[in-house]
Amino acid sequence: MIVSYHGGLEKDPATGNPTEPLVGENQGYELATEVPGIDVLLTGHQHRAIATKIGKVAVTQPSNWGKMIGKITLKLEQNEDGKWIVKEAVPELIDTSKYPADEQVLNLAKAYEDKTQEWLDKPVGTAKGDFWISDPFAARLWDNPLMEFVNKVQMYYTGAKISSTALFTNDVRGWKSGPVTLRDINAVYIYANTLKVIKVKGKDIKDALERSADYFVFEDGLVKENKSWIEPKVQRYNYDMWEGISYKIVLNRPKGDRIVDLMFDGKPIDMDAEYEVVLNNYRAGGGGGYTMFTGKPVVREVLIEMAELMSNYVLERKEIEATLDNNWGAFVEMSYTVQSGDTLESVAAKLGVGMEELKRWNNISDIKAGDVLKYYIPYFEYMKSMQKAS
């Protein structure tokens, strides 16, 4: 029995320990261990390179984009009853880069390939300013023009006031000032996602932001990638960045309680109120561990792929300008002990923050000597101050 399954492994093949939230998106391990009679399980979806066995079941997953081919060699024997049985199953992966391309196939496809490349190089408009990611990790720490642009396109075509998107891989770069081509756009939005507007509560937004904030760990004053986001599978595409709301990711706060100053239209988001949010269809269905979105009412859909919507957006305007509203970023929580003679105004000025922000962060209306106030500084400013101190 050979099972071909567009899903991956939710548990470590050797130990059976979960490697991701068990939300039903990947159930390969469960299939291999709980469905009797399977000899071969061909998996996918996760883009992992896997050739292993779970019990007696041979399992492969051939990475992505044709980089590998899964091969399973079966040794069969006929038993006394004349029934063929699998005596041995050996899974392996074949690296396609070690083999030359088939010239006959290339020649058959050449005319179409040439036209495709010509089409991809066609300018659809002009960029005024850089929509460029020079450091993908830094781009996940602070608002940037490219992700702001993608969110603006989602909001424009759906009418939603709140949007989120992701920098799918570390290879995504965007484009610089000058002509914008279809190749540029398709290299940014590499998946065939469409859009859904769903109705969620404020708490769902907060929970989703906390899920994304788990991408970071803060150790010895430095922020790093959480290993669980890159091992055993890289899932940077599950880190979302939002537009239409403002928020702070406070790196040195506990997991699950890192999002502060979550605002919409200049007011704190009401955890019980309903908001319309535009997401891609994968995320809107709860994909990537965002179970808070599963089963939420769908207000409307746009069934055109995002790369095409982005192209249309640029074509309509002919020129797009890089904008940056800095509505979100990564911060570090600091503390200040109020001194004799301090006032709210003088402390706010000393710390370089707004007086109303200081009051909101600490839920106070006045201060007295000895009070300990918390405040937040951008991570990059924190790093500069640490470098100066050392």
Side-chain angles (χ1 to χ4, degrees):
M1 184 188 290
I2 298 172
V3 175
S4 178
Y5 167 55
H6 191 101
L9 301 183
E10 74 282 23
K11 296 181 180 180
D12 184 282
T15 66
N17 294 327
T19 53
E20 60 182 51
L22 302 179
V23 295
E25 183 175 341
N26 299 293
Q27 294 177 288
Y29 187 92
E30 188 176 6
L31 281 171
T33 55
E34 296 190 22
V35 178
I38 296 177
D39 299 297
V40 171
L41 179 61
L42 309 176
T43 69
H45 184 59
Q46 293 174 308
H47 296 184
R48 292 168 64 186
I50 297 172
T52 188
K53 295 189 79 172
I54 300 176
K56 293 183 179 181
V57 182
V59 181
T60 61
Q61 189 172 139
S63 187
N64 59 306
W65 298 339
K67 295 174 185 174
M68 296 179 179
I69 292 174
K71 177 183 177 182
I72 298 178
T73 305
L74 300 176
K75 181 180 178 181
L76 306 180
E77 285 187 4
Q78 204 169 19
N79 64 15
E80 294 176 354
D81 299 327
K83 181 181 178 182
W84 289 98
I85 58 173
V86 177
K87 293 294 290 184
E88 186 179 41
V90 180
E92 59 182 302
L93 293 177
I94 298 172
D95 183 348
T96 58
S97 68
K98 295 180 179 178
Y99 294 83
D102 187 305
E103 291 298 327
Q104 185 178 3
V105 174
L106 290 180
N107 289 334
L108 283 170
K110 187 175 187 307
Y112 305 101
E113 172 68 6
D114 290 346
K115 286 181 181 178
T116 301
Q117 296 303 325
E118 183 181 347
W119 176 79
L120 285 169
D121 286 328
K122 179 183 177 182
V124 290
T126 304
K128 185 179 178 182
D130 292 342
F131 296 73
W132 186 252
I133 303 291
S134 56
D135 181 342
F137 188 65
R140 295 184 180 97
L141 284 165
W142 200 268
D143 193 18
N144 60 85
L146 182 62
M147 293 296 98
E148 187 165 303
F149 169 76
V150 177
N151 273 319
K152 281 165 63 176
V153 171
Q154 293 188 168
M155 295 160 82
Y156 175 76
Y157 284 107
T158 62
K161 293 183 178 180
I162 303 173
S163 171
S164 86
T165 192
L167 182 66
F168 294 127
T169 75
N170 280 358
D171 296 323
V172 172
R173 286 292 181 264
W175 53 84
K176 293 193 175 183
S177 188
V180 182
T181 67
L182 290 168
R183 186 186 302 276
D184 293 329
I185 290 171
N186 280 272
V188 166
Y189 215 101
I190 60 177
Y191 299 121
N193 292 124
T194 56
L195 299 177
K196 285 187 177 184
V197 178
I198 60 175
K199 189 173 288 186
V200 302
K201 290 195 172 182
K203 186 178 185 307
D204 297 320
I205 296 175
K206 169 74 158 53
D207 290 345
L209 289 167
E210 294 289 359
R211 158 77 175 135
S212 286
D214 181 60
Y215 172 75
F216 301 110
V217 291
F218 193 69
E219 297 173 350
D220 301 323
L222 291 174
V223 64
K224 302 173 185 175
E225 281 186 315
N226 186 336
K227 284 186 178 179
S228 69
W229 283 68
I230 53 176
E231 297 174 3
K233 169 181 166 48
V234 176
Q235 49 175 322
R236 297 182 179 111
Y237 57 84
N238 281 330
Y239 174 82
D240 290 342
M241 292 162 271
W242 292 62
E243 193 66 31
I245 58 174
S246 60
Y247 60 97
K248 292 177 174 61
I249 305 168
V250 184
L251 300 168
N252 56 338
R253 288 179 67 91
K255 175 181 175 179
D257 189 28
R258 287 179 163 176
I259 303 301
V260 304
D261 248 10
L262 179 53
M263 312 278 283
F264 175 69
D265 276 350
K267 300 176 183 177
I269 279 187
D270 183 340
M271 294 295 107
D272 294 318
E274 290 187 326
Y275 301 86
E276 291 187 2
V277 175
V278 56
L279 309 161
N280 70 42
N281 59 303
Y282 172 71
R283 186 71 79 243
Y290 287 81
T291 54
M292 68 292 298
F293 297 143
T294 304
K296 288 296 191 290
V298 177
V299 180
R300 53 191 171 275
E301 295 184 67
V302 176
L303 298 176
I304 301 172
E305 293 179 12
M306 258 303 287
E308 185 175 347
L309 291 177
M310 289 165 63
S311 301
N312 292 343
Y313 188 89
V314 179
L315 276 167
E316 289 172 14
R317 284 154 184 75
K318 295 184 173 58
E319 182 179 88
I320 53 171
E321 185 172 357
T323 60
L324 191 62
D325 59 10
N326 295 310
N327 65 301
W328 68 271
F331 289 73
V332 176
E333 184 173 293
M334 310 290 283
S335 63
Y336 175 80
T337 302
V338 177
Q339 307 296 309
S340 179
D342 278 344
T343 64
L344 269 172
E345 188 175 11
S346 68
V347 171
K350 186 184 298 184
L351 301 179
V353 300
M355 188 167 68
E356 290 305 314
E357 290 179 313
L358 198 61
K359 289 162 70 174
R360 185 171 70 246
W361 295 338
N362 293 277
N363 194 27
I364 56 171
S365 57
D366 204 354
I367 56 173
K368 64 181 183 300
D371 286 347
V372 178
L373 305 179
K374 60 186 176 186
Y375 65 102
Y376 308 103
I377 64 172
Y379 173 72
F380 296 116
E381 287 185 19
Y382 168 83
M383 287 301 297
K384 288 177 184 177
S385 66
M386 292 297 101
Q387 289 167 359
K388 286 181 182 178
S390 62

